[in-house]
Amino acid sequence: MKICDSSVKFVILLFISFHVWNCVETPLNHDLSHSELELDTLVINDISGANYRVAPSLGSNERLYVGNKNGIEVPLSLIKIGSGFWNYSFDSTITIDSLRFILYSKDSSLSEISTPKLFYSPDSQFNENNSTYLDFLDFSLSDWSDLDQANIKVNTDTTDTSSSFTYTELIWNVDTLLASLSDTLDSNLVRTFAIQLANSDSNFIELFSEEASQGDKDPKIIMYYRRTITTSDSTLIDTNSATIYSDGDLSIIDPSGIEPYVNKLGLSNGLGLRSVLNISFNEASLPEGSMIRSGNLILESDTSLTPFQYNIIIDPLDSDTSVVDSVSVYSSDPYEAIGYPYRVSSDSENGVYVIQIKNILQNISLGNESNIGFKLLANEKNNPFESAWFDFQTGPSPKLEIIYVAN
């Protein structure tokens, strides 16, 4: 029987592939016992830490807050509104009917009696990245325009047969501010709004900040207007709206009423609590020419005080600041860190943080970097009313496990 050409080609290709595979795999099974390389482990337990405090600045947080939670006070939140569309007020074809200032919440139980009051000032009042409660110790809203409390609108998913809750809108009528908001004579005009709980209310309210979405739930003003278009034989009135988004926002968080644990290492955005770690590792810690395979810093948190999900960051210091203490509250972080590519973040697993710091350790061992300590802080996305705690005195000791290859 005649064998077709395609079958012959298939058999030949199969034989060649098998032969090549064997040629490639064979060297991997070669005896390497003569190699002078050795794999070894170094465990460092000489690790100490100290707390220090920086006044909280939460400009990049995805929420705005007012009230009191876990003993942390949030006396007010501040919002800047942008400059778009205010020139409509000078267009003779446009009639502005109303202005609505809107904030958003995921709380379906908000009632109008519990909503914060809204205030307005045409002056700059805060820096989103730098302002802290230390800048507002004697602050007063007495000279601001008082726009009272919000109306509530609870929204549901109309496509869902159960009409499930989606979000709540807090809406203020700010029609009276049109002249001020569109003022062209004020060269330093900054459209600043503030929210504060009415009557020193002890409630706590959480709202969406401009960091939380791509615009749909940002703080904003919606301008409702009519445009009149007149031709030789007709007049057309077009009803429409324009959205003016926030330029920045910030919650002023005051943790001064809380004293942190003195015998624990703590990390908290709301408390402004950070730590410095000193790890006994230098150029002489490993044999010369060693290559680090892994370098895991292991920290066991106090699970009774630390939430299940809490991300922390370690960053090697770039300069030594020996005058920093745990009593003062600093307006900005006194420790400069190196950052990329050594800055590393980590989540915990069952309360244990395993942080891979191989890159900085390798460069320290090679003499490229100096070990003057590490800054430990909470990820800025963490809930500011939660904290991570580590007990180095009575709890599990921290350790650094290094696996390396040496000649």
Side-chain angles (χ1 to χ4, degrees), residues 67-68 73-75 115 117 196-204:
N68 181 301
E73 292 281 350
V74 189
T115 59
K117 297 183 75 174
Q196 186 177 69
L197 289 179
N199 305 316
S200 300
D201 201 322
S202 61
N203 289 336
F204 177 79

Side-chain angles (χ1 to χ4, degrees), residues 245-271:
Y245 295 99
S246 64
D247 270 348
D249 51 40
L250 176 68
S251 290
I252 302 301
I253 291 188
D254 183 357
S256 59
I258 296 180
E259 288 298 326
Y261 298 100
V262 295
N263 59 342
K264 297 179 187 291
L265 214 63
L267 305 175
S268 171
N269 290 327
L271 294 176

Side-chain angles (χ1 to χ4, degrees), residues 101-403:
F101 184 94
I102 304 176
L103 297 175
Y104 299 85
S105 170
K106 62 177 182 180
D107 185 353
S108 62
S109 64
L110 279 178
S111 62
E112 292 186 4
I113 195 172
S114 66
T115 59
K117 297 183 75 174
L118 181 69
F119 300 84
Y120 170 74
S121 169
D123 300 318
S124 177
Q125 301 289 338
F126 72 102
N127 182 299
E128 184 180 28
N129 298 317
N130 299 320
S131 293
T132 72
Y133 78 97
L134 297 176
D135 303 311
F136 290 84
L137 294 178
D138 298 317
F139 182 76
S140 172
L141 291 167
S142 59
D143 295 332
W144 292 47
S145 299
D146 186 344
L147 298 159
D148 213 347
Q149 291 177 268
N151 294 314
I152 291 292
K153 180 182 177 182
V154 177
N155 294 278
T156 57
D157 185 356
T158 56
T159 63
D160 187 346
T161 56
S162 62
S163 297
S164 58
F165 168 77
T166 52
Y167 59 89
T168 297
E169 294 179 64
L170 287 72
I171 306 171
W172 285 268
N173 181 334
V174 294
D175 295 352
T176 57
L177 299 180
L178 178 58
S180 179
L181 292 169
S182 58
D183 187 357
T184 58
L185 299 178
D186 186 352
S187 59
N188 296 315
L189 176 64
V190 179
R191 302 169 183 86
T192 307
F193 289 84
I195 54 172
Q196 186 177 69
L197 289 179
N199 305 316
S200 300
D201 201 322
S202 61
N203 289 336
F204 177 79
I205 296 176
E206 181 179 310
L207 304 161
F208 289 99
S209 80
E210 65 164 347
E211 305 289 336
S213 68
Q214 296 299 315
D216 57 323
K217 293 182 179 62
D218 285 14
K220 61 175 66 76
I221 287 180
I222 297 183
M223 175 190 294
Y224 297 93
Y225 65 91
R226 288 169 288 148
R227 186 188 296 272
T228 303
I229 302 173
T230 303
T231 63
S232 58
D233 57 355
S234 66
T235 299
L236 175 65
I237 299 177
D238 181 26
T239 302
N240 212 329
S241 66
T243 301
I244 305 129
Y245 295 99
S246 64
D247 270 348
D249 51 40
L250 176 68
S251 290
I252 302 301
I253 291 188
D254 183 357
S256 59
I258 296 180
E259 288 298 326
Y261 298 100
V262 295
N263 59 342
K264 297 179 187 291
L265 214 63
L267 305 175
S268 171
N269 290 327
L271 294 176
L273 197 58
R274 302 179 181 186
S275 301
V276 170
L277 289 183
N278 293 303
I279 303 173
S280 182
F281 180 85
N282 55 41
E283 293 180 56
S285 297
L286 297 175
E288 185 177 355
S290 297
M291 297 299 295
I292 298 176
R293 295 280 299 274
S294 68
N296 291 325
L297 176 64
I298 302 173
L299 304 173
E300 295 194 36
S301 64
D302 184 338
T303 54
S304 65
L305 299 172
T306 306
F308 178 71
Q309 292 184 328
Y310 198 87
N311 187 270
I312 67 174
I313 294 171
I314 191 168
D315 203 348
L317 297 182
D318 195 29
S319 59
D320 185 16
T321 310
S322 56
V323 297
V324 175
D325 61 61
S326 60
V327 178
S328 302
V329 178
Y330 297 92
S331 58
S332 60
D333 197 323
Y335 285 105
E336 292 289 336
I338 298 177
Y340 179 84
Y342 302 133
R343 180 182 169 104
V344 179
S345 66
S346 175
D347 293 311
S348 70
E349 184 173 343
N350 298 322
V352 179
Y353 290 89
V354 180
I355 311 172
Q356 176 63 263
I357 57 173
K358 178 185 75 172
N359 289 344
I360 182 63
L361 295 177
Q362 183 68 76
N363 278 282
I364 292 171
S365 70
L366 294 174
N368 298 329
E369 302 285 357
S370 299
N371 180 11
I372 54 177
F374 294 79
K375 179 163 64 175
L376 203 62
L377 64 158
N379 191 304
E380 60 189 12
K381 299 300 183 182
N382 289 335
N383 187 325
F385 304 96
E386 296 178 340
S387 308
W389 296 95
F390 306 88
D391 189 347
F392 286 8
Q393 297 182 13
T394 61
S397 299
K399 61 182 176 180
L400 175 62
E401 293 184 350
I402 302 172
I403 299 175

Side-chain angles (χ1 to χ4, degrees), residues 30-37:
H30 191 72
D31 183 9
L32 298 177
S33 60
H34 65 280
S35 174
E36 296 180 358
L37 297 178

